[in-house]
């Protein structure tokens, strides 16, 4: 880490770059709509926008590591609230994840949308770009007001993606998503007003270690501070999928798989987790959160979510549904790390933002490839499928092991730091939650891997792992397609009740003619890229820029550990 960051010294410089990122997104959305009758041009704009946004974000990294913060000031909304974008260390962490993985998702989406002959492709690519632009606005927001504006724009931009195919089920799921997300935004608004009201001088700008004035309020009347914290953290927890405000997330699986990757790995859920991080680190500061006692209830909610969502995942036969409940559990590792309020745990929670993003996006890209190539969406349809798609299933295996926290993979790095934080806090319950959840991760991922590599159509066991109704509606009432909508069960359904008479083939899957022929390169290259990132982040984490950024964030946020 550089001396400037270690010394907790930063210098703000006026710059157009944070604003330019958002301008690129806005212009690209217009160009995509204008190119609706020229698919190649439309998709070229999408890919060029992704590369441009990532390039601008990456260009600011060296300066941020040296303590220079790029600031775009667009004026003043009211006294104390500036319309300002600020590329600091924490914002850069989220921006790098979002913009970098958008490049991968944009490329993959071309192969997926063409391969599955999806409707409304112009709207899809435009809203995908708008969603990532909104996520970058969340990342670079200099205060709670600006963050809230882009947070709500993100909700509105992703609604057409959730309800993409315009079926009744997709629309219902989209409305459910809107109801939850907008309610969370309303809570954040209440928290913003509370913070603005109780601080002196009135301000809601993010400040290292907490906004000036909140510490005094917390000492004088902690219940005011607790209420403001509960509104902010609770509102952001909706998009972070913390139970009991998680129900929108499994329903959102009606969306096309690239959207599921965007929702679960890149933008939406990470915006929620990022909002919790801003609240803990830059609104209240870890010391104030500790003093008002709000870390404990947040940790309880996160720990319960990790265990319960993992149990729910055990009974899901729909591959995307199992991944959805896995997302709910995995996001709460971020919240748990933040809520423990110890440096190692804080670092682990932040490390899990990129670690989870790389692995979960890999899993969804693999699920999409299986669907486009083989029309496969259920785990019980997967016996021997690794013979047909060995690269895809190998990438899926690596990402699954990362989710379970297996060493030399990305998930181990972040979870190890959270474990160290739990030990540092002397909290054996946190250690027990991490160990138990690791076992549950193996329990719901290993059957997928085993059936794909080692079983055949004639000898595979029943899936899901748990057959009882715990964790969701019975199988036959509703199942989501991998591309959106719901399956309507008719008389032509097979023994699984899924509507696929020939899956898995009775004579087994046929091996691909060549190693790179299992699916289009537009889909294969992205999933191989994210799988490689999973390995790199797990083997040489301190050589990855995220590690250095997070070290600086933790050093700046936490000057004295709680006693």
């Amino acid at each position: 880490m550089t001396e400037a960051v270690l010394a907790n010294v930063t210098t703000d410089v006026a710059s157009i770059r944070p604003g330019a990122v958002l301008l690129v997104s806005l212009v690209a959305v217009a160009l995509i709509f204008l190119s609706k009758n020229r698919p190649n041009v439309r998709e070229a704009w999408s890919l060029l926008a992704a590369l441009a946004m990532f390039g601008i974000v990456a260009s600011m990294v060296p300066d941020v590591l040296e303590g220079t913060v790029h600031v775009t000031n667009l004026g003043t909304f009211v006294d104390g609230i500036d319309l300002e974008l600020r590329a600091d260390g924490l914002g850069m962490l989220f921006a790098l994840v979002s913009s970098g993985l958008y490049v991968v998702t944009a490329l993959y989406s071309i192969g997926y949308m063409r391969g599955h002959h999806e409707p409304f492709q112009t709207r899809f690519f435009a809203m995908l770009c708008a969603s990532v632009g909104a996520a970058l606005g969340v990342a670079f927001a200099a205060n709670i007001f600006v963050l809230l504006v882009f947070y709500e724009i993100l909700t509105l931009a992703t609604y057409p993606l959730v309800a993409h195919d315009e079926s009744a089920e997709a629309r219902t799921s989209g409305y459910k998503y809107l109801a939850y997300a907008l309610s969370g935004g309303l809570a954040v608004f209440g928290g913003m007003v509370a913070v603005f009201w109780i601080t002196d001088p009135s301000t809601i700008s993010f400040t290292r270690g907490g906004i000036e004035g909140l510490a005094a309020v917390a000492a004088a009347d902690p219940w005011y501070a607790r209420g403001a914290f509960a509104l902010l953290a609770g509102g952001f927890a909706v998009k972070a999928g913390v139970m009991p405000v998680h129900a929108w997330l499994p329903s959102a699986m009606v969306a096309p798989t690239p959207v599921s990757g965007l929702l679960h790995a890149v933008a939406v859920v990470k915006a929620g987790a990022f909002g919790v991080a801003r609240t803990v680190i830059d609104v209240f500061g870890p010391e104030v959160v500790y003093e008002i006692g709000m870390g404990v209830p947040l940790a309880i909610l996160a720990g319960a979510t990790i265990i319960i969502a993992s149990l729910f995942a055990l009974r899901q036969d729909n591959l995307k549904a199992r991944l959805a409940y896995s997302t709910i559990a995995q996001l709460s590792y971020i919240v748990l790390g933040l809520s423990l309020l110890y440096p190692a745990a804080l670092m682990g929670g932040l490390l899990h933002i990129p670690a989870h993003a790389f692995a979960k996006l890999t899993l969804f890209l693999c699920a999409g490839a299986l669907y486009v190539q083989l029309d496969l969406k259920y785990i019980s349809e997967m016996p021997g499928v690794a013979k047909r798609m060995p690269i895809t299933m190998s990438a899926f295996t690596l990402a699954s092991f990362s989710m379970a926290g297996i060493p030399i993979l990305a998930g181990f790095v972040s979870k190890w730091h959270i474990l160290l934080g739990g030990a540092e806090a002397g909290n054996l319950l946190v250690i027990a939650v991490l160990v138990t959840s690791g076992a549950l991760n193996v329990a719901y991922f290993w059957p997928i891997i085993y059936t794909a590599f080692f079983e055949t159509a004639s000898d595979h066991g029943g899936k899901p792992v748990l057959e009882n109704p715990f964790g969701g509606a019975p199988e036959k009432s509703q199942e989501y397609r991998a591309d959106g909508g719901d399956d309507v069960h008719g008389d032509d359904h097979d023994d699984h009740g899924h509507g696929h008479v020939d899956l898995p083939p009775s004579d087994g899957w046929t091996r691909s003619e060549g190693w790179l022929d299992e699916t289009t390169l537009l889909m294969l290259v992205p999933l191989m890229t994210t799988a490689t990132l999973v390995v790199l982040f797990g083997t040489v984490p301190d050589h990855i820029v995220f590690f250095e950024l997070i070290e600086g964030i933790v050093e700046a946020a936490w000057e004295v550990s709680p006693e």
Side-chain angles (χ1 to χ4, degrees):
M1 195 186 339
T2 64
E3 292 182 0
V5 176
L6 280 171
N8 194 17
V9 175
T10 60
T11 302
D12 289 2
V13 297
S15 171
I16 65 170
R17 278 185 267 185
V21 173
L22 306 187
L23 183 60
V24 168
S25 173
L26 185 63
V27 171
V29 168
L31 291 174
I32 289 169
F33 275 120
L34 290 173
S35 305
K36 62 181 180 179
N37 296 323
R38 304 174 66 186
N40 291 337
V41 175
R42 175 190 64 204
E43 290 158 6
W45 286 130
S46 177
L47 194 54
L48 286 172
L51 291 169
M53 292 161 74
F54 176 64
I56 296 171
V57 170
S59 73
M60 292 185 281
V61 172
D63 290 340
V64 172
L65 292 174
E66 293 294 332
T68 299
V69 176
H70 292 258
V71 178
T72 302
N73 194 308
L74 303 176
T76 300
F77 180 66
V78 295
D79 186 33
I81 303 179
D82 291 329
L83 301 177
E84 189 172 83
L85 301 172
R86 193 169 185 271
D88 62 2
L90 185 55
M92 189 60 67
L93 170 65
F94 183 34
L96 269 178
V97 172
S98 299
S99 61
L101 293 184
Y102 176 39
V103 175
V104 176
T105 305
L107 181 62
Y108 178 92
S109 296
I110 297 171
Y112 183 95
M113 300 301 282
R114 290 191 175 193
H116 196 251
H117 308 291
E118 286 281 347
F120 315 118
Q121 292 192 24
T122 297
R123 185 182 66 193
F124 171 88
F125 283 105
M127 290 300 99
L128 193 71
C129 184
S131 297
V132 176
L136 293 174
V138 169
F140 292 145
N143 55 60
I144 308 173
F145 176 77
V146 177
L147 190 155
L148 178 61
V149 169
F150 284 105
Y151 193 77
E152 299 294 57
I153 292 174
L154 178 60
T155 298
L156 298 176
T158 47
Y159 166 75
L161 298 175
V162 174
H164 174 76
D165 76 345
E166 299 185 359
S167 66
E169 188 63 39
R171 289 180 181 274
T172 299
S173 296
Y175 295 149
K176 186 175 184 179
Y177 166 64
L178 279 180
Y180 272 83
L182 293 176
S183 297
L186 185 62
V188 173
F189 176 78
M192 177 190 71
V193 172
V195 169
F196 188 80
W197 183 263
I198 65 180
T199 54
D200 184 26
S202 295
T203 180
I204 53 173
S205 295
F206 300 128
T207 306
R208 288 185 170 193
I211 293 173
E212 182 182 357
L214 273 178
V217 172
D221 195 337
W223 282 107
Y224 280 109
R226 288 169 185 154
F229 182 90
L231 286 169
L232 287 173
F236 289 126
V238 174
K239 276 184 181 170
V242 177
M243 291 181 169
V245 288
H246 69 288
W248 67 270
L249 203 152
S251 297
M253 289 301 92
V254 300
T257 301
V259 176
S260 299
L262 179 80
L263 290 171
H264 288 244
V266 180
V268 176
V269 295
K270 288 299 188 306
F274 176 78
V276 176
R278 278 293 195 199
T279 301
V280 171
I281 296 172
D282 290 336
V283 176
F284 286 83
E287 293 184 63
V288 172
V289 176
Y290 176 79
E291 291 297 330
I292 63 177
M294 293 304 290
V296 173
L298 191 60
I300 291 172
L301 285 174
T305 300
I306 290 170
I307 299 300
I308 296 171
S310 297
L311 291 171
F312 283 6
L314 290 172
R315 76 166 302 275
Q316 307 301 321
D317 189 18
N318 184 294
L319 180 57
K320 284 181 65 178
R322 188 170 295 194
L323 295 181
Y325 281 104
S326 169
T327 295
I328 295 170
Q330 292 290 331
L331 283 171
S332 280
Y333 282 102
I334 301 172
V335 179
L336 180 62
L338 294 167
S339 64
L340 291 178
L341 305 176
Y342 276 80
L346 189 63
M347 186 160 184
L350 295 176
L351 282 169
H352 204 60
I353 292 177
H356 171 263
F358 299 153
K360 185 51 60 76
L361 185 58
T362 301
L363 292 171
F364 275 108
L365 299 187
C366 291
L370 290 168
Y371 183 75
V372 169
Q373 199 67 28
L374 305 176
D375 201 30
L376 187 156
K377 55 184 177 287
Y378 296 93
I379 299 165
S380 52
E381 299 170 341
M382 293 179 66
V385 75
K387 178 181 179 181
R388 172 66 179 81
M389 301 186 72
I391 296 177
T392 299
M393 288 312 303
S394 295
F396 188 98
T397 300
L398 283 172
S400 298
F401 286 167
S402 178
M403 291 284 94
I406 303 299
I408 76 167
L409 296 173
F412 173 78
V413 176
S414 55
K415 293 181 181 181
W416 175 252
H417 281 83
I418 298 173
L419 187 68
L420 289 178
E424 185 180 0
N427 195 324
L428 296 179
L429 187 58
V430 170
I431 297 173
V433 167
L434 292 172
V435 172
T436 303
S437 66
L440 289 171
N441 271 264
V442 173
Y444 64 73
F445 275 123
W446 177 247
I448 303 173
I449 298 165
Y450 182 82
T451 196
F453 281 95
F454 305 114
E455 289 187 331
T456 64
S458 60
D459 66 7
H460 78 94
K463 306 293 181 300
V465 178
L466 298 179
E467 297 290 350
N468 58 295
F470 174 76
E475 289 279 330
K476 293 184 179 179
S477 65
Q478 176 177 291
E479 284 291 352
Y480 298 121
R481 299 200 314 261
D483 64 321
D486 64 314
D487 283 332
V488 180
H489 303 300
D491 297 334
D492 60 343
H493 282 54
D494 65 354
D495 293 336
H496 303 300
H498 302 153
H500 293 282
V501 178
D502 298 322
L503 292 180
S506 58
D507 56 349
W509 296 100
T510 302
R511 190 179 302 277
S512 301
E513 294 182 2
W515 278 99
L516 298 178
D517 293 338
E518 59 187 71
T519 188
T520 173
L521 287 177
L522 288 171
M523 300 176 71
L524 198 59
V525 169
L527 67 87
M528 291 171 65
T529 300
T530 53
T532 301
L533 290 172
V534 168
V535 176
L536 288 176
F537 197 81
T539 52
V540 288
D542 53 345
H543 287 78
I544 306 295
V545 67
F546 296 107
F547 200 88
E548 190 173 359
L549 275 173
I550 293 168
E551 280 186 320
I553 295 165
V554 173
E555 182 74 18
W558 192 260
E559 297 178 359
V560 180
S561 298
E563 299 295 336

